[in-house]
Amino acid sequence: MYSPESIENEKEEFKSAVLNARPFKPLYVKFKVFYGCNLKCEMCNHWRDTREPPVSAERLKEVISELAELGAKKLHISGGEPMLRPHIPDFVELASSLGIKVTMTTNGTLVTKENAKRLVEGGLRGVNISIDSPIRKMHEKIRGVEGSYKATLKAVELFRRYKHKGKLTIRINTVVSRTNYDTLATLPDLAYELGADGINLIPVDDHCGEILSMRKKDIAFFNEEIAPKIASRALELGLIVSDEDAFPFGRDESEVRLGRAGRYAFGYYNEHPCYAPWTHTLIDFNGNVYVCCMTREKIPPLGNIINQSFNEIWDNSAYRQVRLKMHPPALKPCQRCDDFIDENKKIWELIGPY
C-alpha cells in the first residue's frame, strides 16, 4: 500500500481524522485505466464483458495533479490490461514529475522495447507482471492465448534491461487456483532466472466459482508439498520477506477454514479497522471512485471524477459514511481482503487503540 512512516510525523492529525471520520490524505491511489484485456484468463471477466469507454487521458492527467496537491505518495496503474491505452507513459511521466511514486500491474504481452524504455525513464518504480505457472502450457491454459508465455517473459527481460536507468522493482504476480497450485514449486527459480525482485502469491478470488476455488484437499496438498518448497527457495533467493508469504490460504486449521471461504483477512477486521478510507482510493476506468477493489462491487460509487473534482469526492458525505462504518467490525468485504493487513497492523501499533 504505502509506508506507514508516511503517517508517523502526522500521527496525531491522522488519529483525529480516524476518530472523526474526516479525510486524511490519499497516500495510495489505484487507477484502473482500462476495462478490457487482450488475454482470456479463466479467473477474470475483463475479456468477456464490454463496458463504456474509459475516462479521457486529459481528465486523468488533471486528477493526477489534484492528487499531488492533496499529498498522494503512490499511484498504481492497472486494468484490465493498462497497456491497451497508449497514454500510460504520459501518466507515469506526469505523476513522477509531481513527486508521486508510480507502479503498474500488467500481463506484459504488449510491452515493447520502446514503451519499456520510456516507462522506466519516465519514472516507473515498480511493475508487477502476471505469470501463473513456471510451466508454459499451464500459464497459457490459464491465460487463454497461445504465445502469451513467451511474450510475458520477454516483458520481464525488457524491464530488466532498462531498470538501471531508474529504480525499478520487478515482481511476479501469481494467482493460485485449483488449476495451477501443484505446478508452482519452481516458481522462485523462474523468477530468479528472469531477474525479478520478488514474487507475490495471490489466492484465487471467490467470484471465480467452484471450478477454480481451492478445496480442502487442495489447500492441504499445497501447504504440505508446494508452499514449503516455495518458501525455502524464495527466502534463499530474496524473493519474499517471510515464509508466511508462501501460504496465501493460511497455515493453521482456523486460518485454512477461513481461507477456504475466501476470508483472507483471517478475522483480523473483526477487532481492527482498515485505514484505507483515510489513505487510499480507487478510481475506476469509467471515473467512478471507490475506497478499494473489495468495495467496488459491494458499495455504490462515492462519486465520479468526470463531473466532480477528486477533492469534492474525498471530502463528501458518502466517503464519510464509509469511514464511520469502518470502525470494528469493519465492512463485510474487508473480510476477503489481504491487501493492507501488514500496513494496517503497523498503523495500529503507531497510533494505538482508540
Side-chain angles (χ1 to χ4, degrees):
M1 183 162 66
Y2 50 81
S3 171
E5 285 72 31
S6 305
I7 293 170
E8 190 165 8
N9 294 332
E10 301 177 85
K11 64 180 181 181
E12 292 306 319
E13 180 184 345
F14 178 78
K15 188 171 184 176
S16 177
V18 171
L19 287 170
N20 294 284
R22 292 186 287 101
F24 182 63
K25 297 177 182 179
L27 296 173
Y28 175 27
V29 181
K30 182 176 283 188
F31 268 14
K32 285 188 169 289
V33 297
F34 197 75
Y35 186 83
C37 187
N38 61 314
L39 299 185
K40 298 180 179 180
C41 302
E42 64 179 12
M43 64 285 196
C44 183
N45 291 322
H46 283 279
W47 60 275
R48 295 183 173 97
D49 303 332
T50 300
R51 300 291 178 93
E52 64 267 35
V55 177
S56 72
E58 290 308 310
R59 179 59 187 133
L60 287 180
K61 290 177 185 177
E62 292 172 354
V63 172
I64 289 172
S65 297
E66 291 179 49
L67 292 167
E69 292 176 2
L70 288 171
K73 299 296 184 185
K74 179 179 177 181
L75 172 65
H76 185 76
I77 298 171
S78 68
E81 173 47 49
M83 294 303 291
L84 284 167
R85 291 198 74 167
H87 316 97
I88 302 304
D90 298 331
F91 301 153
V92 171
E93 289 165 1
L94 173 60
S96 182
S97 73
L98 295 172
I100 301 174
K101 177 182 177 180
V102 188
T103 58
M104 178 175 70
T105 294
T106 174
N107 64 42
T109 59
L110 300 176
V111 173
T112 65
K113 178 180 178 181
E114 291 74 21
N115 59 36
K117 183 173 185 289
R118 187 179 168 196
L119 284 165
V120 177
E121 291 182 345
L124 188 67
R125 290 295 172 259
V127 60
N128 300 332
I129 299 181
S130 303
I131 299 178
D132 287 317
S133 176
I135 299 171
R136 178 187 63 80
K137 287 185 178 180
M138 177 58 70
H139 174 85
E140 293 185 356
K141 175 185 177 183
I142 294 170
R143 293 279 149 175
V145 174
E146 188 175 349
S148 58
Y149 185 76
K150 181 178 180 180
T152 298
L153 266 56
K154 180 65 175 179
V156 181
E157 177 189 335
L158 289 170
F159 280 120
R160 185 182 64 183
R161 180 185 306 176
Y162 295 112
K163 68 183 294 186
H164 70 280
K165 297 180 180 294
K167 299 178 181 178
L168 181 70
T169 298
I170 303 171
R171 294 179 63 82
I172 303 303
N173 276 2
T174 302
V175 175
V176 184
S177 73
R178 193 187 306 184
T179 302
N180 67 346
Y181 74 91
D182 59 349
T183 73
L184 300 179
T186 60
L187 181 66
D189 295 285
L190 174 65
Y192 183 75
E193 290 167 12
L194 292 172
D197 300 291
I199 60 174
N200 183 28
L201 300 181
I202 303 169
V204 65
D205 207 343
D206 62 1
H207 75 261
C208 298
E210 289 299 318
I211 295 176
L212 298 180
S213 62
M214 296 281 279
R215 298 162 295 191
K216 183 177 181 179
K217 67 176 184 179
D218 300 326
I219 296 175
F221 182 85
F222 181 79
N223 282 359
E224 293 169 11
E225 301 294 333
I226 306 298
K229 294 176 183 177
I230 294 175
S232 175
R233 188 63 172 145
L235 283 169
E236 178 185 351
L237 298 174
L239 297 170
I240 58 176
V241 297
S242 167
D243 62 354
E244 297 291 333
D245 297 332
F247 293 83
F249 301 98
R251 299 187 76 166
D252 62 36
E253 185 177 343
S254 62
E255 286 185 347
V256 169
R257 185 172 63 252
L258 291 170
R260 282 196 64 217
R263 300 178 65 181
Y264 301 122
F266 302 131
Y268 179 77
Y269 295 119
N270 291 334
E271 299 179 359
H272 302 86
C274 175
Y275 298 109
W278 289 271
T279 59
H280 178 67
T281 199
L282 168 81
I283 300 176
D284 214 344
F285 73 99
N286 54 12
N288 285 336
V289 175
Y290 303 89
V291 172
C292 61
C293 290
M294 283 297 174
T295 62
R296 186 171 167 226
E297 297 178 1
K298 304 295 183 181
I299 296 175
L302 306 176
N304 190 293
I305 61 165
I306 293 177
N307 48 41
Q308 298 171 278
S309 71
F310 179 80
N311 193 30
E312 286 179 291
I313 300 168
W314 184 239
D315 198 21
N316 69 13
S317 60
Y319 237 118
R320 177 176 170 79
Q321 287 303 309
V322 173
R323 294 180 184 118
L324 285 168
K325 293 176 182 177
M326 189 55 68
H327 300 281
L331 300 173
K332 188 174 181 180
C334 300
Q335 305 296 341
R336 296 169 43 223
C337 180
D338 63 346
D339 279 351
F340 302 143
I341 288 181
D342 289 343
E343 291 84 355
N344 282 326
K345 286 180 178 178
K346 290 176 183 177
I347 295 172
W348 177 261
E349 292 174 2
L350 180 66
I351 69 171
Y354 53 87

